[in-house]
Amino acid sequence: MAGWRRAVELAMSNEEITQLAAVSRSRTERASRVERAQMLLAYHENPSFFTVARRLGAHHQTVQRCIERAMAYGPLAALDDRPRPGKEPTITPEAKAWLVSLACDKAKDHGYPHELWTTRLLARHAREHGPAAGHDCLVNLVQGTVCKIFGKEEIKPYKVRYYLERRDAEFEQKMAEVLCVYREVQVLKKAAKSKKPSKPVAIVSYDEKPGIQALATTAPDLPPKPGLHATFARDHEYKRHGTLSLLAGIDLLTGRVHALVRDRHRSREFIEFLKLLDAAYPASTAIKLVLDNHSAHISRETRAWLATRPVGRFEFTFTPKHGSWLNLVEGFFSKFARSVLRHIRVASRHELKERIMAGIQDINRHPVIHTWSYKLAEAA
């Protein structure tokens, strides 16, 4: 007659218990690992195969095998299946290396209209061309096997991860110049708090936001109805009325926004914005602008107009190429797009212009002083 199953003592450290608890609550781990972690924790609280099985809805022998694996190999190792001999692999390491090498090329380089491989296309290519390359084992290759090989090699040739190439050889130097301007802003703010006299300076972060679409609805929006519709309802169709460009600069000392809305953003519009700044500040104030390398900022027309102004009235500090993130006004544009321009619908470009300028006026009623702190201490 078989004897009763006796509970065995499962010793676990606090660190192992913590890791098992994290796995048992995970929503990304495999279901088998989560279930086994729950078994080990439940058995640690109440060492009974039957009680744990009843609690977790499993068979008591399943719980017993899990505990025995934990006793033999450790609690964390028991979460995974023990290695089994299995079937001998039919795809050779050389064939896998050939497949991975193939995946590192673009599909278009092998005569396909696709830009990148899909796993299905790559499997088909390997079936058709693998034997000719000396890999007969790929003659029956299927898409799932390709996915498994890529998963082990940690390669995803069907995806694109974007990066920003640094094309400015003087990037560090130009970045330091911009940061020096921001450090000057910091010094001027401290001087203003201490009421120390200083040379009148205005520092403006400037950029353009082109292509703001004037879209009109073709049917009226439907308002929310409590208990029925939680959101506004809008017809999918819309009508285009063209686009506008927002030319804006933030005074980094006061938070005031200077802005123009025009159809385009050429040299003449940029000069118009400079005239706006020229009229906004006293003649004795030096106006320093942080701006990007747009052609309108350095054009012959712009330089000719600047030559008519007193020496020292305007001073430009250019961000490096692909360094627009260094310009504080970009944060303002992002906030403006997520508030005033979000889901906006207008009947004409004129209405869009009026609403943009109304949004600027609303911001200037409660100006926010933008600050920059990243790597400021490292500025030369």
Side-chain angles (χ1 to χ4, degrees), residues 82 85 88 134 168 178-179 266 268 276 278 290 322 338:
R82 283 177 290 183
E88 287 293 331
D168 197 333
V178 174
L179 296 184
R266 301 162 295 178
R268 66 184 66 178
L276 177 68
D278 197 26
V290 177
H322 287 181
R338 289 181 283 111

Side-chain angles (χ1 to χ4, degrees), residues 232-343:
F232 277 93
R234 173 173 290 171
D235 189 85
H236 287 282
E237 293 188 6
Y238 57 86
K239 185 178 180 181
R240 296 179 185 272
H241 291 297
T243 61
L244 293 175
S245 293
L246 171 60
L247 294 75
I250 303 176
D251 189 317
L252 300 182
L253 296 173
T254 65
R256 178 177 175 79
V257 179
H258 304 277
L260 288 176
V261 179
R262 295 293 181 264
D263 294 342
R264 300 172 66 180
H265 56 288
R266 301 162 295 178
S267 296
R268 66 184 66 178
E269 285 81 18
F270 179 58
I271 292 173
E272 188 178 355
F273 181 83
L274 294 179
K275 291 179 179 178
L276 177 68
L277 291 182
D278 197 26
Y281 294 99
S284 59
T285 301
I287 304 174
K288 298 184 178 182
L289 276 82
V290 177
L291 66 172
D292 62 19
N293 297 271
H294 191 276
S295 59
H297 305 162
I298 55 176
S299 66
R300 181 174 56 187
E301 295 89 340
T302 300
R303 293 197 305 269
W305 184 87
L306 290 173
T308 65
R309 310 311 303 148
V311 177
R313 175 61 166 170
F314 285 94
E315 180 182 334
F316 290 178
T317 301
F318 294 99
T319 59
K321 293 180 181 178
H322 287 181
S324 60
W325 55 274
L326 286 165
N327 204 342
L328 271 171
V329 74
E330 296 293 346
F332 162 75
F333 282 144
S334 174
K335 184 177 179 180
F336 197 76
R338 289 181 283 111
S339 56
V340 177
L341 300 179
R342 182 169 175 262
H343 300 312

Side-chain angles (χ1 to χ4, degrees), residues 6-14 16-17 20 36-49 52 63-79:
R6 296 184 178 181
V8 294
E9 183 180 355
L10 178 61
M12 294 191 294
S13 65
N14 292 333
E16 290 173 333
I17 293 175
L20 289 174
R36 289 166 185 173
Q38 293 172 349
M39 287 181 185
L40 294 174
L41 291 173
Y43 188 84
H44 183 70
E45 295 177 2
N46 186 1
S48 169
F49 301 141
V52 172
V63 178
Q64 183 177 356
R65 285 195 298 270
C66 180
I67 302 305
E68 289 174 350
R69 278 201 304 271
M71 295 290 296
Y73 305 106
L76 298 178
L79 300 180

Side-chain angles (χ1 to χ4, degrees), residues 11-28:
M12 294 191 294
S13 65
N14 292 333
E15 182 179 355
E16 290 173 333
I17 293 175
T18 302
Q19 294 183 37
L20 289 174
V23 174
S24 68
R25 296 190 301 267
S26 176
R27 303 180 69 175
T28 57

Side-chain angles (χ1 to χ4, degrees), residues 165-178:
E165 183 179 355
R166 184 169 292 187
R167 293 192 173 96
D168 197 333
E170 300 177 350
F171 189 96
E172 298 292 339
Q173 177 185 345
K174 292 180 180 179
M175 180 177 69
E177 292 174 359
V178 174

Side-chain angles (χ1 to χ4, degrees), residues 129-252:
H129 298 87
H135 307 294
D136 294 332
C137 56
L138 297 178
V139 70
N140 294 318
L141 183 68
V142 295
Q143 179 190 12
T145 305
V146 173
C147 294
K148 291 178 182 179
I149 293 174
F150 287 171
K152 291 182 179 179
E153 297 294 335
E154 296 184 355
I155 181 174
K156 299 177 181 179
Y158 41 83
K159 287 189 175 183
V160 173
R161 181 178 62 85
Y162 287 89
Y163 75 99
L164 192 61
E165 183 179 355
R166 184 169 292 187
R167 293 192 173 96
D168 197 333
E170 300 177 350
F171 189 96
E172 298 292 339
Q173 177 185 345
K174 292 180 180 179
M175 180 177 69
E177 292 174 359
V178 174
L179 296 184
C180 283
V181 174
Y182 292 155
R183 190 165 65 177
E184 182 181 357
V185 172
Q186 198 177 58
V187 172
L188 291 173
K189 288 178 182 178
K190 291 181 180 178
K193 288 182 180 180
S194 61
K195 298 182 179 180
K196 292 182 180 179
S198 59
K199 181 182 177 181
V201 177
I203 300 178
V204 178
S205 174
Y206 168 82
D207 202 2
E208 300 95 0
K209 183 176 179 59
I212 302 175
Q213 296 192 73
L215 301 179
T217 56
T218 57
D221 289 345
L222 304 180
K225 290 185 178 180
L228 293 177
H229 308 289
T231 68
F232 277 93
R234 173 173 290 171
D235 189 85
H236 287 282
E237 293 188 6
Y238 57 86
K239 185 178 180 181
R240 296 179 185 272
H241 291 297
T243 61
L244 293 175
S245 293
L246 171 60
L247 294 75
I250 303 176
D251 189 317
L252 300 182

Side-chain angles (χ1 to χ4, degrees), residues 102-142:
L102 185 67
C104 292
D105 298 334
K106 285 191 173 183
K108 67 175 185 178
D109 298 335
H110 292 267
Y112 293 97
H114 311 65
E115 178 73 13
L116 301 179
W117 292 107
T118 65
T119 52
R120 194 181 302 277
L121 177 63
L122 194 55
R124 189 183 83 191
H125 182 88
R127 288 195 300 268
E128 294 174 354
H129 298 87
H135 307 294
D136 294 332
C137 56
L138 297 178
V139 70
N140 294 318
L141 183 68
V142 295

